[in-house]
Amino acid sequence: MESLLQHLERFSELLAVSRTTHVSTWDPTTVRRALQWARYLRHVHRRFGRHVRVRTALERRLRSQWRQKGASGSAPVPGLNFQALGRCDLLLPLRLLENRALGDAAYHYLLQQLFPGPGVPDADEEALQGSLARLARRRSAVHMLRFNGYGENSVFEESVLKTQAELLLERLGEVPKAEAEGPSRFLSTLWDRLPQNNFLKVIAAALLLPPSSPRPQGEELELDTPKTPGEGGQELVRWLLAKSDVMAAFCHDLPVGLLTSVAGRHPEFFRAYLGLLTDWGRHLHYDLQKGTWVGAEPQHVSWEELYGRFQSLCQAPPPLKDEVLTALESCKAQDGDFQVPGLSIWTDLLFALGSGS
Amino acid sequence: MAQDSVGFSSDYQFWMQKLSLWDQASTLETQQDTCLHLPRFQEFLRQLYEVLKEMDSNTIVERFPTIGQLLAKTCWNPFILAFDESQKILIWCLCCLINKEPQNSEELKLNSWTRGLLSHILSGFRFDTKEVDLLTQGLGYVPADYCPGLLKNMVLSLVSELRENHLNGFNTQRRMVPEKIRFLSRVCIPLVTLPDMEPLVEALLTCQGHEPQEALWPEFFDAVNEAFLLKKISLPTSAVVCLWLRHLPSLEKATLHLFEKLISSERNFLRSIECFLKDSLLPEAACHPAIFRIVDEMFRYALLETDGAPEVLAAVQGFTRCFVEALEKKNKQLKFTFKTYFPYASPSLVMVLLQHPKDIPQELWHQPLKHISEMLREIVEDQTHGSYGGPFECWFLFIHFGGWADIAAEQLVMSEAEPSEALLWLLAFSCSPHDGSPQRAQIMVEVKAVLSRLKKLLRNPILSAKDLQAAAAESRDRDPGPPLCQQLIRRLLLNFLLWAPGGHVNAREVTALMAPSDEIAHEMTVFLDQTLYRWDHLRMEVPRSRKLARELLAELRMAGTAMQEPGSPRPRDVMMRPFLHGMSDENEP
């Protein structure tokens, strides 16, 4: 077992090196050994996929590798995971093919191994050649559906968001909960490091994914994933609610309809969202001259934005609408239950929403 | 060899020009033309690889100075990269250009350039947006990880848009405009055999447009049909039915494909015929009357062209059986009346023919037979029934349910009473659809005579093949009559042999005497196979007859393989060939 784990560690390093200029020192023999190793680990993946104890040990070791790699920085960088182990004989050659530092002799040998041509007796080689060709074909398919689409590109944009969301949830599922605040620390690192607007959209897309939509692993055998995306979604909501700045940005920057959809799927989020909205409402005051509700400071949400959010929630299926109206009624009551406009924002909102009594 | 290389050079020039014209297949015209040539271009790539793999990169560049241009243009054409195995063969070709130990700057440059192209084909997909790439990298993924998932999501998104129930985050419905559907169908042409695309192909086939004219490209239908026939794609039956209803040439091609399979199969076991039939999905699809009528029309042509070849007759019967079965399975209450399937036939006749003998006690079989015979005779011989078509139409309808003719022959041979006029007429009609009533009467007389001679043999404790020959001999001396009539007499003899109590004959002797030619041996094989198959279907308990039929069949088949080189065509196949070619030529654009 220990020797297997050491092999895994070495391979993980090898995979990391395959991207660097270090490969300029590789000769055909090195390439051959690297490919053999990848093939061996794919067999390991096949063999122990359903063997819980071995698999857990392998996963733990892989994660400890991430941590070591991230040691120089602040947080772990995800690397090889157990599922990727099943594809490592594909991942390694792809990295090598792209690495211009690889010498010509080594590259020539790599091609001979990967593309032996037609009529290969070795089933493994034939499968690898087929997988690489299929990857090229799929890539072309994506390209064609994207650029030869008809004018607009919303299908592509939506699909990209959904794919990112699936990747995020998959990674989230791998971060061990036992390790001190694993998932939330992981998410916070991403939040600090990545363009935030895109990340917010990805979070929303992830929260809207159906409870179980495992990502296709192509022709690889499907092994039970440790956690379901549903659980990943829970982690995500928990983290979102704990980070008030992210929550505020989320509710402020994303399209209204999207927020309503998320609210419809996640009750905890809905309550927090409603709380935030009422908070924002309290920041508005009535401008007598203009005859409208205005924010005290420029960053405050405008009446129109606030009204739009409430209106969208009221158009959603029953539980949301009822709870929104109840909340507004209670705010109105706290304010003094005014019936005339311009005194309480809640009275005016209820009136604008068509529920003013 | 020199001829070959001249041909190859001119092909090379031809494709070079095509590729320059196509560019990156960004316009409607270039896309259409590319799609039209994809299979041929793939074949060329294969040939190119065969030439290149024998040379080193220097020789390649010397022999084909423009090879770089050719391959680069290929690499940048997404339609080619997406088609079947073209991307794989292209990679093989590029591999031939890589120099193991480049000696000079030229060779280094070529290596570097080739590596760039390989990387372009293989590097997976990048989103081309910085923020998205940053996220995937931050999560530790490479394009190879998410390319399949992205494609799946794009396909699903397009499918739901096609089905008009698309809901995005904004809860607004989008409907796909016809132009976009058309566009999409063209993009899908090279991709139909990619399994990831199956849901989209299915959705395109089944989406009901709102325009009167066809929204999808004809080449899309061609590509899907071709992939379906070659089993490179698996589609639900409903989608295949839509394909054939929307694109007639595809249905014709599928039917011809079935014919070819039925005829070229080494031996026509009915079981394998049935498998081919069911596998083709045609009987199931034929539940839609429009499809049934076209397939049936093609069967009619096949019968006319082959002069009623026994295999075609067997195929028509097999097809009808599978079709009726599918119809019964599909809806207990028929969606369409039988009139829609057989518009020129008398509805009451169709109803009688459709009865399954299995549902009627054996001792009452003569009743429906008599009924069928009388109805047919009335229509055929009474000119006032013009609306139900001529004798040929009636015959064509009757042979769909040819099992009844076989039962009639069996009944005549088994019964000790005077042969029934109705049954004799039915048999005579089944073998001579074109003749008038005087000729038919002549056949009836002949059959009656053979039957009475056979009946004398019935008491013989042991039958020999010679006795049978003698019974049939008298009719031999005179005008042999139409081939189908001779066939009928041979059938009666065989039936008699199977049923007579003294029919313990030497199988080898019988086949040697009764099947003097390959043609007749083959006819007897078909008949025996059909008989056994029918008995199985009717669950008839006739162990002795069954055993004898099996022995005869085995003997005939053994003799057949001894006489014939394996794989060489039977005479009948040769007969069918011009027909099949004629039909497929019609479909060529």
Side-chain angles (χ1 to χ4, degrees):
Chain A
M1 185 68 195
E2 189 46 39
S3 83
L4 178 64
L5 290 173
Q6 275 175 7
H7 276 310
L8 190 65
E9 221 162 85
R10 294 286 92 74
F11 182 74
S12 216
E13 284 164 20
L14 179 86
L15 206 58
V17 167
S18 67
R19 278 180 149 159
T20 64
T21 51
H22 191 74
V23 296
S24 59
T25 61
W26 287 21
D27 60 4
T29 321
T30 329
V31 172
R32 193 193 60 205
R33 268 200 228 120
L35 292 180
Q36 277 171 349
W37 227 344
R39 204 192 270 198
Y40 163 71
L41 282 166
R42 193 176 61 107
H43 285 304
V44 168
H45 171 267
R46 276 234 173 122
R47 192 149 160 231
F48 296 113
R50 300 194 193 285
H51 197 300
V52 179
R53 257 189 48 222
V54 179
R55 183 178 166 152
T56 316
L58 290 173
E59 276 172 341
R60 198 175 301 130
R61 185 64 66 105
L62 282 170
R63 277 194 302 271
S64 74
Q65 292 262 302
W66 300 5
R67 245 201 317 280
Q68 281 168 19
K69 260 188 276 171
S72 51
S74 53
V77 178
L80 194 64
N81 63 14
F82 189 75
Q83 276 188 347
L85 213 53
R87 298 192 299 274
C88 62
D89 61 338
L90 195 73
L91 297 179
L92 175 73
L94 280 171
R95 288 186 181 188
L96 289 176
L97 282 171
E98 265 194 87
N99 193 339
R100 287 303 183 104
L102 191 69
D104 283 297
Y107 187 82
H108 184 262
Y109 180 80
L110 178 66
L111 284 185
Q112 278 183 332
Q113 296 302 303
L114 298 180
F115 302 103
V120 194
D122 185 330
D124 264 354
E125 279 181 16
E126 181 58 51
L128 183 56
Q129 178 168 273
S131 305
L132 286 164
R134 195 159 27 253
L135 181 65
R137 201 173 174 204
R138 281 172 165 161
R139 171 192 170 282
S140 223
V142 170
H143 180 89
M144 282 169 77
L145 290 178
R146 179 184 184 187
F147 291 106
N148 293 295
Y150 188 77
E152 35 90 22
N153 236 336
S154 56
V155 165
F156 178 73
E157 280 153 23
E158 250 175 63
S159 306
V160 165
L161 270 180
K162 201 173 158 199
T163 309
Q164 294 181 82
E166 285 167 352
L167 295 174
L168 176 66
L169 286 187
E170 186 178 285
R171 274 293 188 236
L172 208 51
E174 288 162 9
V175 181
K177 278 185 192 153
E179 289 174 23
E181 294 175 8
S184 91
R185 202 172 128 226
F186 174 67
L187 285 167
S188 298
T189 316
L190 289 174
W191 172 251
D192 293 339
R193 216 189 275 159
L194 298 171
Q196 299 187 341
N197 191 39
N198 179 58
F199 194 50
L200 290 176
K201 285 189 206 155
V202 173
I203 293 173
L207 292 177
L208 287 176
L209 284 180
S212 67
S213 69
R215 212 162 60 83
Q217 293 298 314
E219 50 288 334
E220 296 301 330
L221 72 167
E222 190 69 54
L223 299 165
D224 45 337
T225 40
K227 285 170 204 161
T228 62
E231 280 177 66
Q234 291 309 311
E235 294 287 352
L236 212 48
V237 173
R238 218 166 294 145
W239 174 76
L240 194 59
L241 299 190
K243 299 272 281 189
S244 61
D245 56 331
V246 187
M247 178 68 182
F250 190 85
C251 299
H252 189 270
D253 296 349
L254 292 180
V256 177
L258 196 59
L259 289 167
T260 304
S261 299
V262 175
R265 287 278 296 278
H266 299 275
E268 317 91 298
F269 170 80
F270 170 57
R271 280 188 289 277
Y273 179 41
L274 197 56
L276 200 63
L277 289 182
T278 43
D279 240 23
W280 287 348
R282 289 197 182 98
H283 285 117
L284 298 186
H285 64 87
Y286 196 75
D287 186 321
L288 275 172
Q289 276 175 341
K290 289 185 191 154
T292 53
W293 292 88
V294 292
E297 285 167 51
Q299 77 269 22
H300 285 155
V301 170
S302 70
W303 158 266
E304 286 76 17
E305 285 174 300
L306 195 63
Y307 168 69
R309 280 169 171 69
F310 276 116
Q311 191 191 30
S312 171
L313 286 171
C314 284
Q315 284 161 355
L320 291 198
K321 180 182 179 176
D322 298 344
E323 282 189 48
V324 166
L325 291 181
T326 316
L328 286 175
E329 291 287 357
S330 103
C331 286
K332 181 183 155 199
Q334 280 172 13
D335 257 11
D337 213 2
F338 295 106
Q339 300 298 330
V340 285
L343 290 176
S344 161
I345 186 160
W346 315 118
T347 309
D348 289 9
L349 271 171
L350 279 166
F351 185 76
L353 290 167
S355 289
S357 42
Chain B
M1 187 64 206
Q3 199 66 39
D4 273 7
S5 75
V6 170
F8 181 75
S9 311
S10 79
D11 279 359
Y12 186 96
Q13 292 309 323
F14 172 79
W15 291 115
M16 191 70 183
Q17 277 174 7
K18 274 282 178 212
L19 286 165
S20 306
L21 226 97
W22 292 341
D23 193 29
Q24 293 184 27
S26 44
T27 68
L28 187 77
E29 290 74 24
T30 53
Q31 288 180 1
Q32 249 183 309
D33 197 50
T34 311
C35 287
L36 206 62
H37 289 85
L38 285 171
R40 271 177 62 202
F41 184 70
Q42 176 161 305
E43 203 35 55
F44 166 73
L45 274 180
R46 239 181 249 284
Q47 286 171 11
L48 181 66
Y49 170 67
E50 290 302 321
V51 173
L52 297 187
K53 76 170 183 195
E54 304 296 336
M55 308 176 190
D56 64 37
S57 59
N58 286 325
T59 328
I60 293 175
V61 178
E62 260 170 52
R63 268 274 321 267
F64 305 102
T66 54
I67 188 80
Q69 263 186 60
L70 183 115
L71 294 178
K73 283 179 196 300
T74 311
C75 285
W76 288 101
N77 189 319
F79 278 69
I80 297 175
L81 286 188
F83 180 66
D84 200 36
E85 293 196 306
S86 293
Q87 68 300 114
K88 187 154 79 180
I89 309 168
L90 179 63
I91 293 170
W92 292 341
C93 290
L94 285 167
C95 287
C96 299
L97 291 185
I98 291 285
N99 199 318
K100 197 164 147 190
E101 284 154 346
Q103 303 296 327
N104 51 47
S105 66
E106 279 303 304
E107 290 175 8
L108 275 168
K109 225 171 98 188
L110 179 64
N111 264 10
S112 160
W113 177 85
T114 313
R115 284 172 75 159
L117 283 187
L118 278 165
S119 203
H120 163 74
I121 302 177
L122 283 165
S123 63
F125 177 82
R126 282 186 200 296
F127 289 115
D128 296 335
T129 9
K130 201 177 151 225
E131 41 189 34
V132 180
D133 287 334
L134 276 172
L135 177 77
T136 48
Q137 278 165 27
L139 290 172
Y141 288 104
V142 294
D145 291 319
Y146 55 71
C147 188
L150 176 63
L151 181 57
K152 182 205 77 178
N153 285 335
M154 288 179 85
V155 165
L156 289 181
S157 170
L158 286 164
V159 166
S160 58
E161 203 178 321
L162 267 170
R163 299 213 166 120
E164 292 184 33
N165 56 2
H166 186 85
L167 291 175
N168 54 20
F170 305 89
N171 287 330
T172 50
Q173 285 209 338
R174 282 203 308 251
R175 176 195 276 185
M176 215 183 262
V177 291
E179 291 81 5
K180 186 173 176 186
I181 297 179
R182 197 166 173 74
F183 213 91
L184 205 53
S185 75
R186 191 176 52 242
V187 169
C188 284
I189 293 172
L191 292 167
V192 287
T193 54
L194 186 62
D196 312 58
M197 298 292 285
E198 263 165 33
L200 184 55
V201 171
E202 186 196 334
L204 279 170
L205 288 174
T206 49
C207 80
Q208 295 303 326
H210 298 273
E211 311 296 312
Q213 68 269 44
E214 178 55 67
L216 307 178
W217 282 96
E219 289 85 355
F220 170 73
F221 291 123
D222 282 335
V224 177
N225 195 50
E226 186 78 10
F228 172 72
L229 295 181
L230 297 176
K231 298 206 174 303
K232 284 185 168 183
I233 183 175
S234 63
L235 286 172
T237 314
S238 56
V240 181
V241 171
C242 286
L243 162 71
W244 290 336
L245 280 174
R246 291 173 81 164
H247 193 241
L248 193 61
S250 287
L251 174 58
E252 288 178 347
K253 215 174 234 173
T255 312
L256 285 174
H257 184 82
L258 172 67
F259 285 3
E260 254 166 55
K261 256 182 144 173
L262 291 180
I263 288 157
S264 62
S265 65
E266 256 312 288
R267 293 201 181 91
N268 288 297
F269 292 103
L270 270 176
R271 295 216 180 282
S272 63
I273 286 192
E274 201 177 275
C275 284
F276 284 143
L277 280 164
K278 288 195 171 148
D279 198 42
S280 76
L281 285 190
L282 279 166
E284 215 176 316
C287 292
H288 200 290
I291 291 181
F292 177 87
R293 297 272 296 279
I294 284 164
V295 177
D296 204 43
E297 194 62 15
M298 291 178 73
F299 269 121
R300 179 214 301 270
Y301 271 112
L303 273 172
L304 284 170
E305 293 285 326
T306 58
D307 215 3
E311 330 31 12
V312 184
L313 282 169
V316 176
Q317 282 170 33
F319 177 80
T320 314
R321 197 165 28 238
C322 294
F323 157 70
V324 172
E325 209 174 277
L327 211 53
E328 280 165 356
K329 210 184 280 171
K330 194 150 270 178
N331 41 352
K332 291 286 168 218
Q333 284 177 323
L334 282 177
K335 212 156 113 197
F336 304 98
T337 62
F338 280 109
K339 183 99 187 121
T340 40
Y341 299 100
F342 303 100
Y344 305 116
S346 139
S348 47
L349 177 61
V350 174
M351 289 321 288
V352 183
L353 286 171
L354 265 170
Q355 282 180 292
H356 203 293
K358 203 167 61 186
D359 305 333
I360 306 166
Q362 209 168 327
E363 59 277 12
L364 297 179
W365 279 353
H366 62 275
Q367 285 178 1
L369 282 169
K370 201 161 159 263
H371 199 175
I372 292 167
S373 173
E374 282 163 3
M375 287 170 101
L376 274 170
R377 192 166 188 175
E378 196 183 327
I379 300 168
V380 171
E381 293 184 353
D382 183 356
Q383 295 307 311
T384 54
H385 280 86
S387 58
Y388 294 138
F392 179 77
E393 290 307 320
C394 290
W395 178 80
F396 183 53
L397 172 69
F398 178 60
I399 58 104
H400 279 81
F401 308 93
W404 285 116
D406 297 327
I407 294 177
E410 236 166 47
Q411 295 261 314
L412 279 171
V413 167
M414 283 157 76
S415 129
E416 299 205 22
E418 187 69 1
S420 139
E421 275 292 302
L423 263 54
L424 283 173
W425 187 90
L426 199 59
L427 280 190
F429 176 67
S430 75
C431 76
S432 67
H434 294 295
D435 294 329
S437 37
Q439 289 98 319
R440 226 165 356 243
Q442 178 63 37
I443 295 171
M444 285 163 72
V445 169
E446 203 131 314
V447 169
K448 208 168 169 180
V450 172
L451 282 172
S452 83
R453 285 197 290 278
L454 284 177
K455 252 162 225 166
K456 281 184 205 137
L457 294 176
L458 207 55
R459 308 264 172 255
N460 285 15
I462 292 171
L463 266 178
S464 76
K466 279 211 180 67
D467 301 331
L468 282 174
Q469 279 299 104
E474 275 175 56
S475 28
R476 277 272 171 79
D477 302 336
R478 279 175 294 176
D479 169 37
L484 279 172
C485 176
Q486 294 169 35
Q487 204 183 87
L488 173 63
I489 299 209
R490 282 193 291 272
R491 279 184 171 214
L492 287 173
L493 293 182
L494 271 176
N495 261 319
F496 180 75
L497 200 62
L498 294 178
W499 288 105
H504 306 280
V505 283
N506 182 329
R508 185 164 301 167
E509 189 199 6
V510 173
T511 52
L513 268 165
M514 288 181 64
S517 70
D518 283 5
E519 186 87 349
I520 294 179
H522 176 63
E523 172 201 307
M524 280 167 65
T525 313
V526 173
F527 169 75
L528 288 166
D529 181 47
Q530 226 167 347
T531 306
L532 279 167
Y533 183 79
R534 182 165 48 84
W535 288 346
D536 285 347
H537 256 243
L538 297 176
R539 298 208 185 88
M540 281 171 65
E541 297 289 337
V542 279
R544 200 188 58 80
S545 308
R546 197 185 289 266
K547 183 167 166 281
L548 180 59
R550 287 229 173 86
E551 276 169 23
L552 286 170
L553 200 55
E555 188 56 40
L556 280 165
R557 280 185 175 140
M558 227 154 68
T561 40
M563 271 186 281
Q564 220 176 308
E565 288 284 303
S568 70
R570 295 189 314 274
R572 195 63 78 177
D573 299 346
V574 182
M575 255 173 82
M576 280 297 281
R577 215 151 275 159
F579 161 72
L580 288 170
H581 287 299
M583 293 290 277
S584 37
D585 282 348
E586 273 175 20
N587 291 318
E588 295 293 317

